[in-house]
């Protein structure tokens, strides 16, 4: 983290702390002028006029009294704002303050009523402010030798409803702690985050929570005929694991959901080796699995009334004389066989055993998360995950949650005709389709291993799980995508 942050909801400001900044949002020039007059703020004429002309402008004014710094942000008209505005803006501000010497910020939270058409719930409207502050405060400096002890930063939220805001702070912290867990796992290099280390971290994290962790090692995987996972992991000196994190709420669960995540701790491509440029980001090829554990953590933090079984094949796709090969036929726990045409399409292979295991748990529904294909990023860009399912209700609810959380997800076709493209002459299914529609055929491959009576959705997050420049809170590190999205989806289940 950048700062050691303490958040507080307040209903009025008695006295400003020293070294403080105040953030104000204005909807119009009149509001701005009134504010400046009322607080007797001395603003340079040129800067004032340019601020007034510019829609969405920001003005920073340093003073010789308290607060030391005013940050005045003019809001664009409502049509140009979105649900992410305050989250994204505040995430950016926290980063900006790093070297400012400011140790307290006071945020004037605008009235919810004006934004109600954008975010219906007052509580969630407030939560986006806190999420922005916390997400902006994330960094990953574990391996920097010159890192300093984080400075203290007190963040005061001045709102109309300080009691409700206190609840928003608590909820945001519960959610963002899960996002942090997920991001720390994804950002960790593969040299440290081996399948064994992954197991250790998951056990440590859930030790004091209502989450039971069970792990299958190589021997247990062999006993269970999980040869898909074993084959992909064969070349690595770090043997694979299946990590299962089971959260049971204290009361009666409304539903039992299995969450499955691709946990490839490093993807060299195997013998179908990737070029260096394509390999560089592949420590993040376990992002789907980190999303699963992030969600399990949030569910436990919030005591959500949903039973969750998180199922993660943790495996390194390495290269050695013992590597699985293009042309191999691999058997799976389900009994179905896979023709390996490309060892770089390994995610779908390990997920085959994991989805079969998930189906056997007889959940009410299954969602899997995977950095599965570059093709999905080509289709949707870096901001959105691809949603593949035959279940309209799941698709609609996931897309709805994505609109609310701004973790964007977009449904793509899932037509059965595409099954033809992954037929194999020597096995039950091939792990490679043609170039076109690669994200869809990858999903169709997974479908072979899911019980058709269980509603199931596949989410390909190869784009949004990795660092990208489209928001202030995703631009520096892997993002923890999907934790906020699915938390919202789970909260909406009735
Ligand atoms: N891990 C990759 C997919 C990926 C690509 C994730 C870019 C994040 C960013 C996956 O295992 C892979 O290599 N997929 C191949 C599939 C192909 C061989 C059918 C791809 O996308 O090219
Ligand atoms: Zn691959
Ligand atoms: Zn991969």
């Amino acid at each position: 983290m950048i700062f050691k942050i303490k958040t507080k909801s307040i209903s009025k400001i008695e006295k400003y702390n020293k070294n403080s900044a105040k953030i104000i949002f204005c909807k119009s020039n009149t509001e701005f002028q009134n504010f400046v007059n009322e607080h007797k703020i001395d603003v340079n004429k040129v800067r004032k006029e340019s601020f007034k002309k510019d829609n969405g402008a920001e003005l920073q004014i340093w003073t010789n009294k308290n607060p030391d710094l005013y940050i005045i942000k003019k809001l664009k008209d409502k049509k140009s704002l979105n649900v992410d505005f305050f989250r994204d803006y505040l995430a950016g501000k926290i980063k900006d303050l790093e070297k400012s010497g400011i140790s307290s910020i006071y945020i004037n939270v605008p009235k919810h009523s004006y934004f109600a058409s954008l975010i219906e719930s007052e509580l969630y409207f407030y939560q986006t402010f806190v999420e922005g502050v916390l997400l902006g405060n994330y960094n990953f400096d574990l391996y920097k030798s010159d890192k300093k002890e984080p400075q203290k930063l007190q963040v005061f939220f001045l709102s109309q409803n300080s009691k409700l805001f206190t609840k928003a702070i608590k909820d945001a912290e519960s959610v963002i702690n899960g996002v942090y867990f997920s991001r720390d796992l994804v950002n960790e290099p593969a040299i440290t985050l081996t399948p064994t280390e992954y197991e250790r971290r998951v056990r440590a994290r859930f030790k004091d929570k209502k989450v039971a962790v069970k792990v299958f090692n190589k021997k247990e995987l062999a006993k269970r005929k999980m040869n898909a996972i074993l084959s992909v992991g064969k070349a690595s000196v770090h043997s694979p694991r299946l990590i299962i994190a089971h959260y049971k709420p204290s009361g009666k669960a409304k539903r039992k959901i299995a969450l499955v995540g691709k946990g490839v701790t490093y993807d060299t491509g195997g013998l179908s080796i990737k070029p260096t440029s394509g390999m560089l980001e592949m420590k993040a090829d376990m992002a789907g699995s980190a999303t699963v554990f992030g969600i399990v953590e949030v569910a436990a933090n919030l005591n959500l009334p949903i039973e969750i079984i998180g199922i993660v094949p943790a495996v390194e796709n390495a290269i050695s004389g013992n590597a699985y090969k293009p042309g191999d036929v691999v058997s799976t726990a389900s009994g179905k066989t896979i023709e390996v045409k490309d060892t770089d399409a390994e995610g779908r292979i390990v997920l085959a055993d994991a989805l079969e295991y998930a189906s056997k748990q007889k959940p009410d529904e299954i969602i899997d998360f995977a950095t599965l294909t570059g093709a999905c990023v080509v289709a949707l860009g870096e901001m959105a995950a691809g949603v593949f399912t035959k279940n309209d209700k799941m698709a609609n609810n996931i897309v709805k949650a994505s609109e609310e959380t701004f973790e964007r997800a977009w449904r793509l076709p899932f037509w059965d005709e595409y099954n033809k493209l992954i037929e194999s002459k020597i096995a039950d299914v091939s792990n490679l389709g043609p170039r076109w529609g690669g994200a869809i055929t990858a999903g169709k491959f997974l479908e072979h291993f899911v019980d058709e009576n269980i509603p199931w959705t596949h989410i390909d997050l190869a784009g949004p799980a990795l660092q990208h420049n489209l928001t202030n809170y995703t631009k520096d590190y892997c993002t923890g995508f999907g934790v906020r999205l699915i938390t919202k989806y789970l909260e909406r289940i009735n």
Side-chain angles (χ1 to χ4, degrees):
M1 60 202 160
I2 298 170
F3 291 104
K4 210 163 159 189
I5 287 189
K6 255 205 180 131
T7 47
K8 196 166 181 204
S9 164
I10 54 173
S11 53
K12 59 171 184 284
I13 300 170
E14 305 283 356
K15 193 173 157 282
Y16 287 100
N17 289 344
K18 63 174 194 316
N19 302 335
S20 58
K22 177 160 181 155
I23 301 180
I24 301 112
F25 299 97
C26 295
K27 293 193 279 292
S28 63
N29 286 338
T30 328
E31 234 182 78
F32 164 70
Q33 193 59 58
N34 291 345
F35 184 83
V36 168
N37 296 346
E38 194 187 321
H39 292 80
K40 301 190 178 59
I41 305 170
D42 189 18
V43 195
N44 170 284
K45 212 170 67 195
V46 180
R47 292 191 69 198
K48 186 149 80 182
E49 287 316 307
S50 100
F51 177 85
K52 284 187 174 176
K53 271 190 226 131
D54 186 4
N55 198 7
E58 181 182 292
L59 195 57
Q60 299 206 1
I61 306 155
W62 289 88
T63 72
N64 282 318
K65 42 186 192 190
N66 275 329
D68 299 77
L69 170 66
Y70 282 104
I71 302 175
I72 307 176
K73 174 75 181 168
K74 193 158 73 180
L75 299 178
K76 292 187 179 165
D77 60 287
K78 223 190 304 184
K79 280 200 298 296
S80 346
L81 291 179
N82 62 39
V83 297
D84 201 43
F85 174 76
F86 292 105
R87 184 188 290 110
D88 188 37
Y89 175 76
L90 290 172
K93 276 301 110 191
I94 293 298
K95 289 186 202 297
D96 289 352
L97 287 175
E98 190 175 357
K99 293 191 178 80
S100 64
I102 293 293
S103 55
S104 291
I105 44 177
Y106 297 81
I107 301 171
N108 265 21
V109 178
K111 275 196 198 131
H112 168 249
S113 53
Y114 179 78
F115 301 93
S117 57
L118 219 54
I119 302 182
E120 203 183 312
S121 149
E122 185 175 356
L123 177 64
Y124 191 61
F125 173 66
Y126 292 157
Q127 193 175 319
T128 65
F129 286 73
V130 190
E131 285 185 359
V133 167
L134 299 178
L135 288 170
N137 193 38
Y138 181 81
N139 69 0
F140 186 80
D141 60 0
L142 200 60
Y143 300 106
K144 283 214 173 266
S145 39
D146 64 346
K147 62 174 176 286
K148 296 175 239 51
E149 185 59 21
Q151 293 162 34
K152 284 189 186 146
L153 180 70
Q154 285 193 281
V155 184
F156 299 94
F157 296 96
L158 177 64
S159 73
Q160 295 280 307
N161 189 342
S162 65
K163 209 171 147 209
L164 193 66
F165 209 103
T166 304
K167 163 104 171 96
I169 290 178
K170 202 166 166 274
D171 287 355
E173 282 172 352
S174 297
V175 174
I176 303 304
N177 278 339
V179 178
Y180 263 53
F181 181 37
S182 172
R183 294 184 84 169
D184 279 345
L185 289 168
V186 184
N187 287 310
E188 188 69 53
I191 188 173
T192 9
L193 199 84
T194 61
T196 336
E197 173 63 12
Y198 204 165
E199 166 182 355
R200 197 191 63 75
R201 289 200 189 190
V202 171
R203 285 192 190 279
R205 187 76 173 201
F206 292 141
K207 201 164 71 125
D208 302 319
K209 294 199 191 298
K210 270 191 296 226
V211 179
V213 178
K214 184 163 80 178
V215 179
F216 299 160
N217 61 14
K218 199 171 154 186
K219 209 169 129 203
E220 183 68 25
L221 291 169
K223 213 168 96 190
R224 291 172 178 270
K225 301 197 164 52
M226 293 184 161
N227 285 318
I229 296 175
L230 287 168
S231 298
V232 173
K234 221 164 73 162
S236 175
V237 291
H238 308 290
S239 68
R241 299 280 186 280
L242 187 75
I243 308 173
I244 301 149
H246 194 161
Y247 161 71
K248 271 192 195 156
S250 26
K252 194 173 155 16
K254 288 181 182 170
R255 214 178 283 184
K256 175 169 153 184
I257 300 189
L259 303 178
V260 177
K262 173 176 173 183
V264 174
T265 57
Y266 199 74
D267 183 10
T268 64
L271 292 177
S272 316
I273 191 169
K274 285 181 185 296
T276 307
S277 58
M279 222 186 277
L280 197 58
E281 288 178 309
M282 286 304 118
K283 67 166 187 180
D285 210 19
M286 33 58 70
S289 66
T291 297
V292 168
F293 292 128
I295 298 164
V296 170
E297 155 138 7
V298 179
N301 288 348
L302 293 173
N303 199 16
L304 291 184
I306 313 277
E307 181 177 347
I308 300 176
I309 315 177
I311 300 163
V312 165
V315 42
E316 186 177 78
N317 187 21
I319 301 170
S320 82
N322 191 35
Y324 83 130
K325 303 167 191 69
D328 281 357
V329 174
V330 166
S331 64
T332 65
S334 68
K336 291 189 183 174
T337 55
I338 300 168
E339 180 184 4
V340 180
K341 286 193 181 158
D342 190 317
T343 61
D344 195 13
E346 82 300 337
R348 64 196 76 177
I349 301 181
V350 300
L351 287 171
D353 279 344
L355 286 166
E356 144 77 17
Y357 181 82
S359 298
K360 286 269 151 61
Q361 310 310 305
K362 300 273 170 240
D364 299 310
E365 59 187 63
I366 300 174
I367 309 176
D368 78 75
F369 307 86
T371 48
L372 206 61
T373 65
C376 197
V377 196
V378 173
L380 297 175
E382 295 174 306
M383 203 167 201
V387 175
F388 305 84
T389 180
K390 283 183 172 159
N391 190 293
D392 293 343
K393 194 173 157 206
M394 280 185 91
N396 293 341
N397 287 337
I398 289 170
V399 170
K400 190 161 172 281
S402 91
E403 283 161 1
E404 290 181 84
T405 55
F406 214 70
E407 287 206 304
R408 287 170 150 173
W410 200 257
R411 191 178 188 183
L412 289 169
F414 208 43
W415 298 313
D416 282 336
E417 286 74 11
Y418 286 60
N419 276 325
K420 265 199 188 55
L421 305 172
I422 47 168
E423 280 172 6
S424 161
K425 289 204 168 64
I426 59 168
D428 298 330
V429 62
S430 151
N431 85 327
L432 185 69
R435 183 166 146 77
W436 313 122
I440 305 173
T441 44
K444 294 312 276 184
F445 175 97
L446 299 179
E447 196 177 29
H448 281 78
F449 302 92
V450 182
D451 181 337
E452 60 184 7
N453 297 312
I454 303 174
W456 161 67
T457 299
H458 158 57
I459 298 183
D460 191 334
L461 36 69
L466 274 53
Q467 174 279 335
H468 63 79
N469 292 328
L470 296 166
T471 73
N472 284 321
Y473 53 85
T474 55
K475 65 181 181 195
D476 294 322
Y477 304 98
C478 294
T479 63
F481 178 93
V483 178
R484 292 192 296 107
L485 166 72
I486 299 302
T487 298
K488 186 56 80 192
Y489 172 80
L490 296 175
E491 281 174 346
R492 291 266 179 271
I493 287 175
N494 44 40

